[in-house]
Amino acid sequence: MLPRSRASGFSLLQPARHDAGSRQRPGLRWLAAAALLALAGCVSGPDYRRPAALEDMPATFRQLDGWRTAEPGQPLSDTAWWQRYQDPVLTELLARIDSHNQNLLQAQARLRQADALIGRARAAGLPTAGANAGYTRSTGGTDNYTTGLNISWLPDLWGRVQRDEEAAQAAAQASEADLAAVRLGVQSNLAQAYFRLITLDRQAELLAATEQAYVRAAELTRNQYEAGISARADVVLAETQLEQVRAQRYNIAWQRAQNEHAIAVLAGAAPSALQIAPQQSLPALPPLPEALPATLLERRPDIAVAERNMAAANARIGVAASAWFPDLTLSTSGGFQHNSLNHWLTAPSRVWSLGPALALTLFDGGARQATLTQAEAAYDEQVARYRQTVLEALRETEDALAALRTRAQEIERQEKVVALAEENLRLVMNRYQAGIVTYLEVTTAQTTELNARNTLFALQGEQLAASVQLIAALGGGWSDTALDTRPAAPSPARQAP
């Protein structure tokens, strides 16, 4: 008759024998049966099927009115999107981001952590091995020397390990997409700050030229006052206007310093360590695509993050569902045990143990059901977050397209305003020199002309910023080969000052 421990199949500890082959066959049968169970095991929880982003996903964008619809699914080009602007300073600044921006380095570290969690999840499905050695002395002076090796394995009969690994892989993919989102966000912020800085440079250049013109106008009024042609009030008004322009130059310098500091931090440098020389002109606006299907938004990294988080949440439902099934643990151990150190490692002192262990929770007060309900609710949350992310992406793209369209129209009108303001100033100056009008009309004309030029420069800078926003909204640009392109709006670099 077999010992109770062996008949029950849970444990066995007895001296090993050289002719114990027949005794080991039941253990081999246990291993074979466990392997068959593992192969026949099912995977708990639902398989992942990505839900529709939106029930009424548009085929194209409303702000692209009149443009034809492109075929979706084309890959983006490998060209770095900022190279479209052909600005070497911008390219040099963006090249620093990967190795110097601290937010990006944090995202890289999070990705490495997520990759490590995949290995930990996968390791849960593999056998574990351990070794031990010990010495005890009991009452009566009896010595006991032990050493051994043990191996255990929890077969993934119900797919808990598989689902856990799926969740870890999806989380790692989400971290990878998050890294891309952080990189794109930093690049976009830096490019927009750089374009604002160049816009301020152009405005500063305009104010410098205006100051020189106002100096000449002030000299003219003083000469006419001394000649008795104009009143003292004209001199005061001209000098007041001159000082206002000088004050504006200080304000522009302060705004430029702020943008330069922001660029330095985004590039991973101390504000005092980075200095950008004044730029003479804005870069050319890159050609815009003639078609932008809404499905291009599937390439956005933040949408990829939301979708992968949704997949991870779905896999965690399976992990929670596996708690309802029993766990089968297979373990084996072997070693030496003797009360004499001289006979410790001899063959008669060998012991071994082999057998399965079955564990099933019968009552837990509803803990498993609560965990499963929580996992299902977490998945529903991620689905809603995914769809909200798509909605926000559509809004951002529509906003950028609307900004580009309206800014192009506004720039066209503003150029006419500048031309009219210049002509009006010329006519008023001639009338003033002829003594027909007062200097107040000259001041009004000069202010109108200065404001018109400033507004034009600001609109051109906003147009470039909107182009960067569109690139970011589309996940980093568009493919030149997959999508037709239309000529860009009139480039600020080609505008008449």
Side-chain angles (χ1 to χ4, degrees), residues 209-494:
T210 302
E211 181 182 356
Q212 297 302 317
Y214 285 6
V215 167
R216 293 191 297 268
E219 292 176 352
L220 174 63
T221 58
R222 281 193 294 269
N223 293 336
Q224 290 191 330
Y225 169 70
E226 293 173 356
I229 300 175
S230 62
R232 171 63 181 168
D234 290 347
V235 177
V236 174
L237 187 58
E239 292 179 348
T240 300
Q241 191 176 35
L242 174 60
E243 293 304 322
Q244 287 177 339
V245 169
R246 288 171 174 169
Q248 290 179 35
R249 293 188 65 183
Y250 286 112
N251 183 59
I252 292 292
W254 169 70
Q255 294 182 53
R256 188 188 193 278
Q258 284 189 312
N259 278 273
E260 190 175 50
H261 298 163
I263 292 172
V265 173
L266 289 169
S272 60
L274 181 65
Q275 185 174 2
I276 302 175
Q279 305 298 304
Q280 300 300 319
S281 62
L282 287 169
L285 188 71
L288 303 179
E290 286 191 352
L292 288 175
T295 47
L296 279 178
L297 294 179
E298 295 293 337
R299 300 188 179 101
R300 277 178 55 129
D302 59 339
I303 293 180
V305 171
E307 191 275 331
R308 288 292 81 198
N309 285 335
M310 190 167 52
N314 182 84
R316 294 187 185 105
I317 295 176
V319 175
S322 67
W324 294 92
F325 302 102
D327 289 333
L328 175 65
T329 303
L330 302 177
S331 60
T332 180
S333 63
F336 298 90
Q337 178 178 330
H338 204 276
N339 58 8
S340 173
L341 183 61
N342 294 332
H343 301 86
W344 179 20
L345 301 179
T346 59
S349 301
R350 288 186 300 175
V351 293
W352 58 271
S353 173
L354 174 67
L358 195 65
L360 174 65
T361 301
L362 299 179
F363 178 75
D364 61 3
R368 287 173 296 178
Q369 182 59 52
T371 301
L372 180 59
T373 301
Q374 184 271 335
E376 292 171 343
Y379 171 76
D380 292 339
E381 177 189 4
Q382 294 301 328
V383 171
R385 181 170 298 173
Y386 168 66
R387 289 171 173 164
Q388 181 63 29
T389 303
V390 172
L391 286 172
E392 290 293 336
L394 292 172
R395 179 191 61 79
E396 291 175 7
T397 306
E398 293 280 12
D399 287 349
L401 289 170
L404 282 171
R405 178 173 54 83
T406 57
R407 287 294 178 267
Q409 297 168 346
E410 196 171 359
I411 286 172
E412 183 179 357
R413 296 297 179 183
Q414 191 62 31
E415 288 174 337
K416 296 180 179 180
V417 172
V418 170
L420 291 172
E422 290 174 346
E423 183 179 1
N424 179 63
L425 177 58
R426 180 178 57 81
L427 294 174
V428 170
M429 284 296 297
N430 291 337
R431 290 163 60 87
Y432 175 72
Q433 291 175 353
I436 301 175
V437 298
T438 65
Y439 194 76
L440 179 60
E441 292 191 36
V442 174
T443 302
T444 302
Q446 288 175 331
T447 303
T448 301
E449 191 265 349
L450 175 61
N451 291 339
R453 284 181 174 274
N454 266 324
T455 301
L456 178 60
F457 291 161
L459 289 173
Q460 291 169 346
E462 291 172 5
Q463 186 184 42
L464 279 171
S467 69
V468 176
Q469 291 169 3
L470 177 61
I471 288 172
L474 295 174
W478 51 83
S479 172
D480 291 332
T481 57
L483 301 176
D484 293 334
T485 57
R486 66 183 303 176
S491 169
R494 299 192 294 270

